[in-house]
Amino acid sequence: MPGVDGFMYPNEIELQWSVLIVLYPFLTGLVAGAFILASLERVFQVEAVKPTYRLALLTALSFLLVAPLPLQLHLGHPERSYEMYLTPHRTSAMAMFGFVYLWYLMAVLVLEIWLDYRRQIVLLSQSSTGWKRAIYSVMTLGSTNISERALAIDEKAGWLITVIGIPSAFLLHGYVGFIFGSIKANPWWSTPLMPVVFIFSAMVSGIALVMLLYMLITWARRQVIDMKCVDTVARYLFYIFVIDFSLEMLDLIHRIYEADESFRSLDFMVHSKLYLSHIVVQIALGTIAPIALLGLTQVAKLSDIARKRIYAAAGCLTLMGIFAMRWNVVIGGQLFSKSFLGYTTYKMGLVAREGLLMAILLTILPFAILWVLVKVLPPWPEASSGSIPDAEPAR
Amino acid sequence: MNVFKDAGHLFRLAAVFVAGLLIFLVIRGFLVPKSFGQLGHYRANAVAEIAARPIKFAGHESCEGCHADVLDKKKNGKHAGVNCEACHGPQAQHADDPTAVKPDKLDTAVLCARCHEANAAKPRNFPQVDTAEHSRGLPCDTCHHPHSPVIVAGGAK
């Protein structure tokens, strides 16, 4: 049979989880990572990253809005999906996703953004006209109280929400890792390290994305990039990346040492079908290269322009590497036979409900949403907003 | 008192959330089937609802009454144990009113491969062929008679 090497059970030949299921953990990872970067400023008082705070929140929101779409497209009956809210199935992790998602969206992100922007929303509702005024007025919920005390209360509430938000962000993405890690029939997935690795890789990708977006948007607005901010973000990216890499290596060493009955089969897969995406793209280009680049900026004294370029390169490589990691987990886990005697091939459709074009569309969509959000809620300091009317953010 | 006044917008927000929750509960009341949860995490009426649906399969015996010729052929062949509707699909409507509803013509290249395509996971003694190689693109019923598939000397039997 074409695409099949060795022996596959009939139900293993075709992959059930497509590129969209690769995209889903990638997108939620970006959400969790961006949020954790924002909380650095809020809870851990890292003042230097402040310029990215609001941008990170808006990025998290726009990606979170898109995150469930790949799942909806994957479902045979998407119109029934809301039923998991009506009759919650408490013993199924997948069925509980709806609640984790809703909690994170409504109780954490929207709330935190609203509190943080409230002053500006109130001001905008008074200064703007027409339909814009109507939108902002609805967003004020009819309260124009921006007295100092009211804002102080907002500040406290926002802090509290961030504190709740950090474990929630961990929950959101740890949950995605949990879904894979708890599938005990699949040795490529089944490891309790999975949620932890997912969380750290999520932080890595989210931070890299916000760093890139910040540099890109600032450049597009013809403003000066705050190097202290980018340096700090890059430093955190470096630290967390090192932790993430160690965890992944720990997992790898554990597998090699344990060498259970699945090992030879998986080892062969990594050296054949997954060689390019796993060894080359994920580990060499997507992990070791950016860590080395970021490490270089930590030890060597480089000019601003050199650092900027290195950060941009490292950020892009990181995103590619984390995407490859999701790919290798999701697709790699379905390429080998449970008999450990054969391998199949993933055939991705082009124009299909779960095909490549759809995946590209879903990757671009969050940037479009972010573009709208940035228009409605400008993330830069209030003084400069409005002065550059047609800033061209993200793509 | 002042704290309440300055946190007024938070109360409004809380009110929005409560309103959202109430709307959700009302909608839920309408949408969740009444018998849900009576016996377990499903609609207790599910079985009755399914039983009430129109019957799709007529069963082997019902075909036998009108298609005795086919039955005669089939009962001595290798497909004796294969139900008519396993190949012809659900035909209850046809059995009720044979002139109004006629079964679709079958495409043997697809139909026969469904059971006979070679696959290592099938029991070894089940007859299976690599269809592409075996039939060279011809429909299977150019050589095999579907109701009595074994080919014997002197033509299909």
Side-chain angles (χ1 to χ4, degrees):
Chain A
M1 199 171 282
V4 174
D5 303 322
F7 174 75
M8 291 299 280
Y9 292 116
N11 58 345
E12 294 173 330
I13 293 170
E14 212 174 301
L15 268 64
Q16 303 300 321
W17 286 2
S18 65
V19 64
L20 293 194
I21 307 298
V22 176
L23 206 58
Y24 159 64
F26 183 64
L27 294 182
T28 42
L30 294 174
V31 176
F35 182 82
I36 286 167
L37 179 62
S39 53
L40 270 182
E41 193 270 333
R42 192 89 193 219
V43 175
F44 302 108
Q45 315 271 320
V46 184
E47 278 299 314
V49 305
K50 194 159 186 142
T52 62
Y53 172 69
R54 287 180 155 188
L55 183 65
L57 285 183
L58 295 185
T59 309
L61 181 59
S62 42
F63 277 82
L64 191 64
L65 288 176
V66 177
L69 291 188
L71 300 184
Q72 295 285 353
L73 283 163
H74 176 73
L75 291 177
H77 274 286
E79 79 281 2
R80 293 182 191 163
S81 61
Y82 73 92
E83 287 179 12
M84 71 181 174
Y85 288 117
L86 301 184
T87 52
H89 200 303
R90 281 180 299 276
T91 54
S92 155
M94 280 200 191
M96 291 320 283
F97 166 72
F99 291 93
V100 175
Y101 176 81
L102 205 63
W103 164 263
Y104 190 70
L105 177 69
M106 295 313 295
V108 176
L109 262 186
V110 169
L111 219 59
E112 178 160 348
I113 292 178
W114 185 72
L115 286 172
D116 195 66
Y117 272 101
R118 216 175 60 80
R119 195 182 101 86
Q120 210 169 340
I121 292 174
V122 169
L123 292 179
L124 281 166
S125 76
Q126 285 156 359
S127 65
S128 57
T129 51
W131 58 271
K132 269 190 171 171
R133 190 189 181 98
I135 293 182
Y136 287 121
S137 302
V138 170
M139 278 159 72
T140 61
L141 297 182
S143 156
T144 51
N145 184 354
I146 46 172
S147 66
E148 226 162 84
R149 298 212 19 188
L151 291 179
I153 292 176
D154 284 355
E155 180 66 27
K156 279 222 184 69
W159 181 85
L160 186 70
I161 287 168
T162 318
V163 170
I164 301 171
I166 296 174
S168 304
F170 275 62
L171 183 69
L172 178 76
H173 206 63
Y175 152 87
V176 180
F178 179 85
I179 288 280
F180 288 100
S182 60
I183 297 180
K184 58 175 172 274
N186 190 319
W188 185 246
W189 291 338
S190 174
T191 152
L193 263 182
M194 199 60 112
V196 188
V197 171
F198 262 61
I199 288 169
F200 275 90
S201 56
M203 286 196 245
V204 169
S205 62
I207 294 176
L209 177 71
V210 176
M211 181 178 82
L212 285 177
L213 277 177
Y214 170 71
M215 293 204 291
L216 197 70
I217 293 183
T218 318
W219 171 78
R221 295 175 66 227
R222 303 202 171 67
Q223 304 260 320
V224 187
I225 293 180
D226 180 347
M227 278 319 277
K228 204 162 145 257
C229 164
V230 197
D231 283 337
T232 316
V233 174
R235 196 168 68 241
Y236 279 105
L237 179 59
F238 175 65
Y239 293 156
I240 296 174
F241 216 155
V242 170
I243 300 179
D244 176 47
F245 186 53
S246 333
L247 283 171
E248 275 178 46
M249 287 305 110
L250 185 64
D251 182 37
L252 190 69
I253 293 168
H254 191 261
R255 279 170 192 274
I256 295 174
Y257 188 75
E258 197 178 44
D260 67 6
E261 70 275 17
S262 68
F263 181 70
R264 278 179 45 157
S265 177
L266 298 183
D267 186 51
F268 181 76
M269 178 172 78
V270 169
H271 286 93
S272 51
K273 293 225 174 217
L274 276 193
Y275 186 78
L276 186 71
S277 63
H278 199 279
I279 308 274
V280 178
V281 181
Q282 182 188 333
I283 296 184
L285 290 177
T287 306
I288 296 179
I291 288 185
L293 284 175
L294 292 170
L296 184 70
T297 62
Q298 299 301 312
V299 290
K301 273 227 173 317
L302 298 167
S303 68
D304 279 6
I305 187 81
R307 288 212 307 284
K308 268 187 235 168
R309 284 190 184 145
I310 289 185
Y311 292 155
C316 293
L317 285 174
T318 305
L319 286 180
M320 188 185 72
I322 301 291
F323 183 81
M325 182 239 167
R326 312 294 190 225
W327 174 278
N328 293 326
V329 169
V330 175
I331 302 296
Q334 303 173 83
L335 290 183
F336 63 92
S337 169
K338 181 81 174 110
S339 65
F340 303 132
L341 294 174
Y343 305 89
T344 186
T345 312
Y346 173 46
K347 303 180 195 86
M348 178 162 44
L350 181 64
V351 193
R353 193 168 51 121
E354 296 190 56
L356 179 64
L357 285 184
M358 191 52 87
I360 293 176
L361 187 76
L362 287 181
T363 317
I364 296 175
L365 190 58
F367 292 102
I369 296 180
L370 181 63
W371 186 76
V372 175
L373 283 180
V374 166
K375 289 267 158 191
V376 180
L377 301 169
W380 23 85
E382 282 159 44
S384 74
S385 71
S387 60
I388 289 92
D390 269 315
E392 188 58 41
R395 293 191 190 188
Chain B
M1 221 31 233
N2 241 342
V3 176
F4 284 107
K5 210 180 117 221
D6 283 327
H9 55 284
L10 292 184
F11 292 114
R12 282 167 193 257
L13 184 74
V16 170
F17 272 76
V18 172
L21 188 69
L22 286 179
I23 293 173
F24 168 76
L25 288 177
V26 170
I27 294 178
R28 182 174 187 275
F30 280 110
L31 288 181
V32 175
K34 292 285 158 292
S35 69
F36 185 89
Q38 274 171 12
L39 301 176
H41 198 81
Y42 57 90
R43 289 170 290 130
N45 279 349
V47 176
E49 279 169 28
I50 292 166
R53 284 156 79 168
I55 289 172
K56 299 242 167 93
F57 285 91
H60 205 274
E61 279 139 39
S62 114
C63 315
E64 287 167 11
C66 299
H67 293 289
D69 54 329
V70 178
L71 181 71
D72 283 345
K73 187 152 204 145
K74 190 165 93 74
K75 71 173 180 235
N76 296 321
K78 278 283 187 179
H79 276 164
V82 183
N83 201 313
C84 315
E85 287 164 299
C87 293
H88 288 287
Q91 294 301 346
Q93 283 186 314
H94 164 69
D96 279 349
D97 189 355
T99 39
V101 183
K102 272 210 261 174
D104 292 336
K105 274 264 173 259
L106 299 170
D107 177 4
T108 51
V110 177
L111 170 74
C112 314
R114 196 152 74 210
C115 292
H116 288 291
E117 183 69 68
N119 188 313
K122 286 180 185 168
R124 193 165 299 139
N125 51 5
F126 183 82
Q128 39 195 310
V129 291
D130 182 342
T131 50
E133 189 186 299
H134 176 79
S135 72
R136 299 220 181 73
L138 289 173
C140 313
D141 56 353
T142 32
C143 303
H144 295 277
H145 193 295
H147 297 142
S148 178
V150 175
I151 297 171
V152 288
K157 187 182 166 188

